[in-house]
Amino acid sequence: PDSCGLPDRASPASYLATNHNSEKVNIRAQPNTRAAILAVCDNQSEAAILGKSGAWYRVRLALRPNQPAERRIINGYVHQSQVSLRHVYTVHSADGSANIRRKAGNRSSMVGRFANGTRVIEFPAKRKGNWHFVGVIGRWGIVTSAYYGYVHKSQIRPEAGQ
Protein backbone atom coordinates (compact mmCIF):
# COMPACT_ATOMS: atom_id res chain seq x y z
CA PRO A 1 0.00 0.00 0.00
CA ASP A 2 0.96 3.62 -0.51
CA SER A 3 1.81 6.17 2.15
CA CYS A 4 -0.66 9.02 2.64
CA GLY A 5 -0.16 12.40 1.05
CA LEU A 6 -2.18 15.59 1.11
CA PRO A 7 -5.91 15.96 0.44
CA ASP A 8 -6.85 16.37 -3.19
CA ARG A 9 -7.02 20.13 -3.84
CA ALA A 10 -10.38 19.90 -5.64
CA SER A 11 -12.01 18.09 -2.75
CA PRO A 12 -14.76 19.07 -0.29
CA ALA A 13 -14.13 21.54 2.51
CA SER A 14 -14.12 19.11 5.46
CA TYR A 15 -11.02 17.14 6.27
CA LEU A 16 -9.94 14.46 8.66
CA ALA A 17 -6.57 14.15 10.26
CA THR A 18 -5.51 10.79 11.52
CA ASN A 19 -5.45 10.88 15.28
CA HIS A 20 -4.64 7.54 16.76
CA ASN A 21 -2.35 6.08 19.41
CA SER A 22 -0.54 3.98 16.82
CA GLU A 23 1.79 5.55 14.30
CA LYS A 24 -0.18 4.31 11.27
CA VAL A 25 -3.81 4.38 10.09
CA ASN A 26 -5.14 2.16 7.30
CA ILE A 27 -7.22 3.48 4.40
CA ARG A 28 -9.35 0.54 3.25
CA ALA A 29 -11.15 -0.37 0.02
CA GLN A 30 -14.47 -0.98 1.82
CA PRO A 31 -15.93 0.18 5.16
CA ASN A 32 -14.83 -2.84 7.22
CA THR A 33 -11.66 -4.16 8.84
CA ARG A 34 -11.47 -7.15 6.48
CA ALA A 35 -11.22 -4.98 3.36
CA ALA A 36 -7.97 -4.54 1.45
CA ILE A 37 -5.63 -1.78 2.66
CA LEU A 38 -5.16 0.83 -0.09
CA ALA A 39 -2.85 3.17 1.81
CA VAL A 40 -1.21 3.47 5.20
CA CYS A 41 -1.23 6.98 6.67
CA ASP A 42 1.20 8.34 9.22
CA ASN A 43 -0.36 9.92 12.28
CA GLN A 44 -1.56 13.47 11.46
CA SER A 45 -1.98 12.79 7.72
CA GLU A 46 -4.99 14.44 6.06
CA ALA A 47 -7.68 13.37 3.60
CA ALA A 48 -10.84 14.97 2.20
CA ILE A 49 -14.13 13.59 3.51
CA LEU A 50 -16.50 12.56 0.72
CA GLY A 51 -19.19 10.99 2.91
CA LYS A 52 -19.90 8.57 5.73
CA SER A 53 -21.02 4.95 5.83
CA GLY A 54 -21.95 3.91 9.37
CA ALA A 55 -18.84 4.39 11.52
CA TRP A 56 -16.57 4.81 8.46
CA TYR A 57 -15.60 7.97 6.56
CA ARG A 58 -15.26 7.73 2.79
CA VAL A 59 -12.15 9.75 1.94
CA ARG A 60 -10.05 10.98 -1.00
CA LEU A 61 -6.37 11.72 -0.84
CA ALA A 62 -3.64 12.45 -3.33
CA LEU A 63 -0.69 10.07 -3.48
CA ARG A 64 2.20 9.61 -5.86
CA PRO A 65 2.48 13.33 -6.83
CA ASN A 66 4.36 12.68 -10.09
CA GLN A 67 1.67 10.36 -11.50
CA PRO A 68 -1.31 11.27 -13.73
CA ALA A 69 -4.49 12.12 -11.77
CA GLU A 70 -6.15 8.73 -12.40
CA ARG A 71 -3.18 6.98 -10.71
CA ARG A 72 -2.55 9.66 -8.08
CA ILE A 73 -5.95 9.88 -6.33
CA ILE A 74 -7.00 7.24 -3.78
CA ASN A 75 -10.61 6.85 -2.60
CA GLY A 76 -11.12 4.65 0.45
CA TYR A 77 -12.49 4.32 3.98
CA VAL A 78 -11.14 5.05 7.46
CA HIS A 79 -12.88 4.25 10.76
CA GLN A 80 -14.18 7.23 12.76
CA SER A 81 -12.21 6.13 15.84
CA GLN A 82 -8.99 6.98 14.00
CA VAL A 83 -9.74 10.55 12.98
CA SER A 84 -10.34 14.06 14.22
CA LEU A 85 -12.31 16.41 12.00
CA ARG A 86 -11.08 19.71 10.65
CA HIS A 87 -13.18 22.25 8.78
CA VAL A 88 -12.20 24.86 6.21
CA TYR A 89 -13.42 28.43 6.66
CA THR A 90 -12.64 31.77 5.05
CA VAL A 91 -12.20 35.06 6.85
CA HIS A 92 -15.37 37.14 6.37
CA SER A 93 -15.36 40.29 8.49
CA ALA A 94 -17.21 43.59 8.18
CA ASP A 95 -13.84 45.28 8.83
CA GLY A 96 -12.20 43.51 5.87
CA SER A 97 -9.89 41.43 8.08
CA ALA A 98 -9.90 39.38 11.28
CA ASN A 99 -7.51 39.01 14.20
CA ILE A 100 -6.15 35.59 15.11
CA ARG A 101 -5.40 35.59 18.85
CA ARG A 102 -3.13 33.48 21.08
CA LYS A 103 -5.97 32.66 23.48
CA ALA A 104 -9.77 32.73 23.22
CA GLY A 105 -10.89 36.29 24.02
CA ASN A 106 -10.70 39.87 22.73
CA ARG A 107 -8.00 40.84 25.22
CA SER A 108 -5.52 38.17 24.16
CA SER A 109 -2.50 39.23 22.10
CA MET A 110 -2.68 38.83 18.34
CA VAL A 111 -0.90 36.15 16.34
CA GLY A 112 -1.79 37.97 13.12
CA ARG A 113 -4.43 39.84 11.15
CA PHE A 114 -5.78 38.20 7.99
CA ALA A 115 -7.74 39.71 5.11
CA ASN A 116 -11.19 38.62 4.01
CA GLY A 117 -10.95 35.57 1.79
CA THR A 118 -8.00 34.06 3.70
CA ARG A 119 -8.51 30.31 4.09
CA VAL A 120 -8.26 28.92 7.65
CA ILE A 121 -8.46 25.35 8.94
CA GLU A 122 -10.47 24.89 12.15
CA PHE A 123 -9.64 22.24 14.76
CA PRO A 124 -13.10 21.67 16.32
CA ALA A 125 -11.78 19.75 19.33
CA LYS A 126 -10.04 22.93 20.55
CA ARG A 127 -13.05 25.25 20.17
CA LYS A 128 -13.77 27.40 23.26
CA GLY A 129 -17.34 28.74 23.21
CA ASN A 130 -17.62 31.20 20.31
CA TRP A 131 -13.88 31.06 19.64
CA HIS A 132 -12.59 28.69 16.95
CA PHE A 133 -9.00 27.42 17.07
CA VAL A 134 -7.62 27.77 13.54
CA GLY A 135 -4.48 27.40 11.52
CA VAL A 136 -3.53 29.71 8.67
CA ILE A 137 -0.91 28.38 6.29
CA GLY A 138 0.12 30.59 3.44
CA ARG A 139 2.79 32.17 1.35
CA TRP A 140 3.61 35.81 2.00
CA GLY A 141 6.21 36.97 -0.50
CA ILE A 142 8.87 34.27 -0.63
CA VAL A 143 8.11 32.92 2.87
CA THR A 144 5.65 30.13 3.67
CA SER A 145 4.43 30.36 7.27
CA ALA A 146 1.87 28.80 9.58
CA TYR A 147 -0.05 30.71 12.23
CA TYR A 148 -2.28 29.11 14.87
CA GLY A 149 -4.69 30.76 17.27
CA TYR A 150 -8.28 31.70 18.05
CA VAL A 151 -10.73 33.69 15.94
CA HIS A 152 -14.28 34.66 16.91
CA LYS A 153 -16.95 32.73 14.99
CA SER A 154 -18.44 36.02 13.72
CA GLN A 155 -15.26 36.65 11.70
CA ILE A 156 -15.30 33.48 9.57
CA ARG A 157 -17.67 31.62 7.25
CA PRO A 158 -17.65 27.94 6.19
CA GLU A 159 -16.32 27.33 2.70
CA ALA A 160 -18.81 26.01 0.14
CA GLY A 161 -19.47 22.31 0.49
CA GLN A 162 -19.73 22.22 4.30
Side-chain angles (χ1 to χ4, degrees):
D2 290 300
S3 248
C4 282
L6 295 173
D8 176 22
R9 295 275 183 236
S11 52
S14 288
Y15 294 90
L16 63 84
T18 58
N19 183 18
H20 194 259
N21 294 333
S22 73
E23 293 182 14
K24 305 288 182 188
V25 174
N26 295 327
I27 305 296
R28 296 190 177 268
Q30 297 296 322
N32 66 68
T33 56
R34 296 176 309 283
I37 297 170
L38 301 176
V40 178
C41 295
D42 291 330
N43 198 17
Q44 297 304 311
S45 293
E46 295 187 351
I49 297 172
L50 302 176
K52 196 165 184 201
S53 178
W56 294 79
Y57 287 104
R58 188 166 55 91
V59 298
R60 174 185 296 147
L61 55 148
L63 304 172
R64 305 180 224 111
N66 297 323
Q67 297 291 320
E70 66 275 4
R71 295 200 57 215
R72 180 173 49 91
I73 305 300
I74 296 286
N75 290 300
Y77 293 86
V78 63
H79 193 268
Q80 68 186 9
S81 67
Q82 296 192 296
V83 302
S84 65
L85 297 179
R86 296 181 183 174
H87 304 290
V88 182
Y89 288 82
T90 54
V91 172
H92 183 85
S93 173
D95 296 342
S97 61
N99 297 327
I100 307 294
R101 299 186 178 275
R102 293 196 195 289
K103 297 179 182 175
N106 286 331
R107 296 184 181 204
S108 178
S109 60
M110 287 182 9
V111 170
R113 186 167 181 82
F114 298 92
N116 282 354
T118 301
R119 193 173 201 229
V120 300
I121 307 293
E122 185 215 7
F123 301 78
K126 295 185 175 185
R127 193 179 292 169
K128 293 186 178 178
N130 291 327
W131 291 85
H132 292 241
F133 185 80
V134 299
V136 182
I137 300 170
R139 190 173 183 100
W140 290 272
I142 60 170
V143 177
T144 299
S145 298
Y147 299 88
Y148 295 93
Y150 288 89
V151 63
H152 193 271
K153 72 175 189 176
S154 65
Q155 302 298 298
I156 55 178
R157 297 285 182 266
E159 273 200 357
Q162 290 200 93

